[in-house]
Amino acid sequence: MKKQTIDTKPAGPKPWYDPRVRSIFFQIVAIALVFWGGWTLVDNTLANMESRGISTGFGFLEETAGFGIIMSLIPYDATMSYGRTFWVGLTNTLLVSAMGIVAATILGFIIGVARLSSNWLVAKVSLVYIEVIRNIPLLLQIFFWYFAVLGALPSPRQSIDVGGTMFLNNRGLYVPEPLTQDGFGLVWGAILVAIAAVVGIRIWAKKRQVATGQIFPTFKVGVAILVLLPALAYFAAGGPLQWEFPELKGFNFRGGITIIPELAALWLALSLYTASFIAEIVRSGILSVSKGQTEASKALGLPNGLTLRLVVIPQAMRVIIPPLTSQYLNLAKNSSLATAIGYPDLVAVFMGTTLNQTGQAVEVVAITMAVYLTISLSISLFMNIYNRAVAIKER
């Protein structure tokens, strides 16, 4: 007789008790619920719109808009389509956001450094600015600049004359407009070559400093190249640039470039408000750097300016960049408050006037949300790339 063998190996764990299996299962369930909820929402919305006789789709973007816009970076008039109003609003939003980010960054860094100044007056003035500006609602600051400051300027006939070429009144700032002529392409080419040359010199100077320890005056040489090369191209092309100066005709100025008060008020409020938060971020980043680093640089004889620029700030950036990214995102989204004073941004032009005239609420709101999401993700992507580029790398 054959002996029966008994398998004494312990039974393996059941799949349900495997953490990986449960993890995958719950993720699949969660994704399925999200898709089901989204489909239910879309289906109910379409059914309700159909029952009320509301048309759907994006065909309305090709219809004539029939309304004017006070400011446009691209050609636009009332005979153009609603799709054109979208691009007008988008470019205006990107303009004020970009201007605000640049101004808030510069001002925030200056105030953040001044906050740590050994000069008592400078430090206290910076503290007062931060505490006052960041504790007043942004909307109130926009109203202050628009109604109390810019709205109090004189009328066009009593404009503030700046050198006979620029005029400031309650309808905006009027400045000369440069008009390029034939041959100006040579100047643009020189500008691009100058930028490429500066980038190349900076890379070369950095490698040279690592190899030899010698510092090359990159900033001075870069500025000289950026100024002299386009200037030589300009004169070589025969000065292909003319200026159109604003002139008072009737009740308002004609010609030149007009910076409307809505843009100025929104830009000032966004920049000053965001700069107060950036200043505290910069201060905390600087304080995160060990004092031993500063003491070591002083022992080597470095002046305070070079110590801050070459030793402290590069190490502080790893602390500064993540919250700085959040402030950039807040500024871009806060620009939607422009509708309160009539600045023609995406919300005011597209989600305001266009939505009211077409009644395509779902499509317009969805497009607007997608645009702000794209802007935010783009800012985050750029800042993450920059963060990796400036991160301290261990040898």
Side-chain angles (χ1 to χ4, degrees), residues 39-367:
W39 170 254
T40 302
L41 179 63
V42 171
D43 185 58
N44 288 340
T45 301
L46 294 176
N48 291 333
M49 293 176 65
E50 184 179 359
S51 64
R52 289 167 174 77
I54 302 175
S55 61
T56 58
F58 298 94
F60 72 96
L61 294 174
E62 300 178 359
E63 298 176 4
T64 302
F67 64 91
I69 301 175
I70 60 174
M71 172 185 163
S72 175
L73 298 178
I74 59 177
Y76 174 80
D77 58 61
T79 62
M80 295 185 178
S81 66
Y82 288 118
R84 193 69 170 182
T85 66
F86 165 78
W87 291 110
V88 172
L90 176 59
T91 53
N92 288 344
T93 294
L94 294 176
L95 173 67
V96 73
S97 298
M99 291 172 57
I101 287 174
V102 172
T105 302
I106 296 173
L107 184 60
F109 266 81
I110 293 174
I111 296 174
V113 174
R115 179 77 172 80
L116 299 173
S117 174
S118 58
N119 185 301
W120 183 88
L121 181 60
V122 172
K124 294 305 177 184
V125 169
S126 302
L127 174 62
V128 170
Y129 168 85
I130 292 171
E131 295 301 328
V132 170
I133 297 299
R134 72 175 181 173
N135 287 300
I136 297 177
L138 176 58
L139 185 59
L140 293 183
Q141 295 188 42
I142 294 174
F143 286 154
F144 169 78
W145 286 106
Y146 185 66
F147 294 108
V149 177
L150 300 179
L153 292 173
S155 63
R157 290 186 177 274
Q158 287 78 40
S159 298
I160 300 173
D161 188 342
V162 183
T165 58
M166 295 187 294
F167 303 91
L168 179 64
N169 55 58
N170 57 10
R171 295 186 183 180
L173 174 64
Y174 299 84
V175 298
E177 179 181 5
L179 302 175
T180 59
Q181 307 296 317
D182 293 338
F184 198 80
L186 181 63
V187 180
W188 286 119
I191 293 174
L192 294 176
V193 171
I195 293 174
V198 171
V199 173
I201 290 174
R202 185 178 183 278
I203 295 173
W204 169 82
K206 189 174 182 180
K207 292 181 179 179
R208 176 174 178 264
Q209 182 179 352
V210 171
T212 65
Q214 298 178 350
I215 299 177
F216 185 79
T218 307
F219 179 77
K220 294 180 181 179
V221 173
V223 171
I225 293 175
L226 289 173
V227 173
L228 294 178
L229 192 58
L232 291 174
Y234 174 80
F235 289 112
L241 184 67
Q242 293 182 353
W243 294 89
E244 181 184 61
F245 294 92
E247 297 179 0
L248 181 63
K249 295 181 179 180
F251 296 100
N252 205 353
F253 282 87
R254 297 289 184 271
I257 298 175
T258 304
I259 302 175
I260 60 176
E262 291 81 6
L263 171 61
L266 183 64
W267 173 64
L268 285 170
L270 286 174
S271 302
L272 295 175
Y273 181 75
T274 308
S276 65
F277 291 93
I278 293 178
E280 284 295 274
I281 293 172
V282 172
R283 184 178 73 90
S284 64
I286 293 175
L287 290 177
S288 69
V289 179
S290 172
K291 290 184 178 180
Q293 298 290 317
T294 304
E295 294 171 354
S297 65
K298 289 182 178 180
L300 292 173
L302 289 178
N304 292 334
L306 286 178
T307 298
L308 183 66
R309 184 165 62 90
L310 300 178
V311 178
V312 177
I313 294 297
Q315 297 183 68
M317 291 302 291
R318 61 187 175 85
V319 177
I320 292 174
I321 291 178
L324 182 64
T325 303
S326 297
Q327 292 305 317
Y328 288 169
L329 297 176
N330 289 338
L331 189 149
K333 290 179 286 188
N334 286 338
S335 66
S336 60
L337 292 173
T339 187
I341 57 173
Y343 175 72
D345 76 324
L346 185 65
V347 173
V349 172
F350 192 65
M351 208 174 80
T353 308
T354 298
L355 188 152
N356 290 334
Q357 291 192 181
T358 62
Q360 305 292 140
V362 175
E363 293 84 352
V364 170
V365 172
I367 293 174

